[in-house]
Amino acid sequence: MAEAGGVLVIGADGAIGEAVAARLEAGGARVVRTSRRGTAGSLPLDLEAVPATWTPPPGIASAVFCAAVTSTDACRDRPEQCRRVNVDATLDLGRRLAAAGARTVFLSTNMVFDGSMPCVPATAPRRPRTAYGRMKAEAEEGLLTLGGTTIVRLTKVVGRTLPVIERWRQALGRSEPIHPLADLVMAPVALDFAAAVIAAAAREPLGPILQVSALADVSYAAVACRLAARWGYPADLVRPQTVSASELTLEHVPLHTTLDGSAVRDRLGLQPPDPWAAIDEVA
Ligand SMILES: NC(=O)c1ccc[n+]([C@@H]2O[C@H](COP(=O)([O-])OP(=O)(O)OC[C@H]3O[C@@H](n4cnc5c(N)ncnc54)[C@H](OP(=O)(O)O)[C@@H]3O)[C@@H](O)[C@H]2O)c1
């Protein structure tokens, strides 16, 4: 049964935070949003400068942590600054929420694993290979010790678009070739699907770890080929390349990104989706 009480959405301006807040409100929940950029109707909260006196608003039953530095490059290049947000402030707020009797829902990532095996079980040991993944793993561990925490691990969440997809579309629109990576994979899930799971975890306790993943990985090159065909651009403008031939300096290239999503299926009746379902929702 769903709990009475409001839901605090920390970082409600982000892609997932906005979708989760909207879904909860559509279901009748009282939602309190936070923003670091002064969004009207949101409580101000910057995780780089949480006031020592900050306490959760009254009547909050659960809080969803959507605020984080999500750029893997930023976490690699500015680890101390990003760690203050992604680990220190997150755990600090988690402790204050627990002290006020609120449950915590924390958004994490497949990148807490090393990507050496597909469909990783939720209980597998964490083996992050990137600074971002290490920060998420540390925050997961710390929040789980507080009790009343649900970690929601997500693979690639795809809404109406993604920055990389926008870059492809614009280049193709100028009749320029694109060079998507053939050896980098994603297990895309639609934003609506991810938001449904996160909102459910905010409404009622669903156990310590939920994993939201597509059933299989697809390469960025395969995604680009499918979208280019759907948008009506010539196939020969899509020229896949490997990570090593690209200008990218990735910390780690996982072989697999899928997670075992059986807990979501068993507890919520939501089947882990086919990866193309999310790509076919791209505008
Ligand atoms: N999207 C995915 O594919 C994916 C996959 C796995 C896990 N996740 C996790 O899901 C969560 C949400 O991701 P998202 O895709 O919605 O990311 P996003 O669109 O980049 O949103 C991140 C939010 O965090 C806020 N934020 C960043 N630094 C902050 C600070 N110092 N204080 C307060 N707020 C701060 C941002 O504020 P501004 O809006 O003001 O910049 C933004 O609203 C993150 O924890 C991410 O690691 C996402």
Side-chain angles (χ1 to χ4, degrees):
M1 186 190 296
E3 299 159 329
V7 181
L8 183 68
V9 178
I10 301 173
D13 294 324
I16 297 176
E18 170 56 37
V20 169
R23 177 172 280 266
L24 284 164
E25 278 179 344
R30 183 174 67 87
V31 173
V32 180
R33 294 168 157 84
T34 80
S35 164
R36 65 167 171 173
R37 38 168 139 137
T39 300
S42 294
L43 295 178
L45 185 62
D46 183 343
L47 269 63
E48 287 198 62
V50 180
T53 53
W54 188 90
T55 51
I60 291 297
S62 64
V64 185
F65 273 96
C66 302
V69 181
T70 55
S71 157
T72 52
D73 288 352
C75 292
R76 178 195 59 199
D77 298 340
R78 294 182 275 112
E80 288 178 12
Q81 181 190 357
C82 296
R83 198 176 181 288
R84 282 201 292 276
V85 173
N86 288 358
V87 182
D88 299 341
T90 297
L91 293 180
D92 178 23
L93 288 180
R95 283 188 283 270
R96 299 190 211 191
L97 286 156
R103 291 188 305 106
T104 297
V105 177
F106 176 69
L107 306 192
S108 188
T109 167
N110 60 283
M111 292 171 76
V112 298
F113 300 119
D114 63 9
S116 60
M117 65 182 286
C119 298
V120 190
T123 53
R126 300 174 187 85
R127 289 200 179 89
R129 298 286 301 276
T130 62
Y132 169 73
R134 282 190 289 276
M135 291 174 201
K136 286 292 189 183
E138 195 177 340
E140 280 193 8
E141 283 186 68
L143 288 171
L144 284 169
T145 65
L146 298 176
T149 296
T150 299
I151 305 296
V152 182
R153 291 192 188 125
L154 307 162
T155 57
K156 177 63 83 184
V157 177
V158 181
R160 299 282 290 164
T161 190
L162 286 176
V164 66
I165 289 175
E166 244 358 84
R167 288 195 293 277
W168 292 339
R169 190 206 303 269
Q170 285 172 16
L172 292 168
R174 296 189 298 268
S175 299
E176 292 171 7
I178 59 171
H179 302 281
L181 297 171
D183 52 356
L184 188 68
V185 296
M186 63 166 106
V189 291
L191 179 58
D192 281 352
F193 184 84
V197 175
I198 297 162
R203 281 189 214 104
E204 59 187 316
L206 290 173
I209 302 179
L210 293 174
Q211 300 194 134
V212 178
S213 170
L215 281 172
D217 280 310
V218 289
S219 73
Y220 279 69
V223 170
C225 288
R226 188 171 178 113
L227 287 172
R230 204 178 84 213
W231 294 332
Y233 293 111
D236 65 357
L237 283 181
V238 182
R239 301 179 193 168
Q241 66 177 347
T242 58
V243 173
S244 59
S246 78
E247 291 173 351
L248 296 172
T249 51
L250 302 181
E251 284 170 286
H252 177 58
V253 180
L255 288 175
H256 309 278
T257 72
T258 50
L259 302 170
D260 171 29
S262 54
V264 164
R265 184 195 60 216
D266 296 345
R267 289 177 204 156
L268 297 173
L270 295 173
Q271 295 291 339
D274 183 275
W276 296 117
I279 301 305
D280 290 344
E281 286 186 24
V282 168

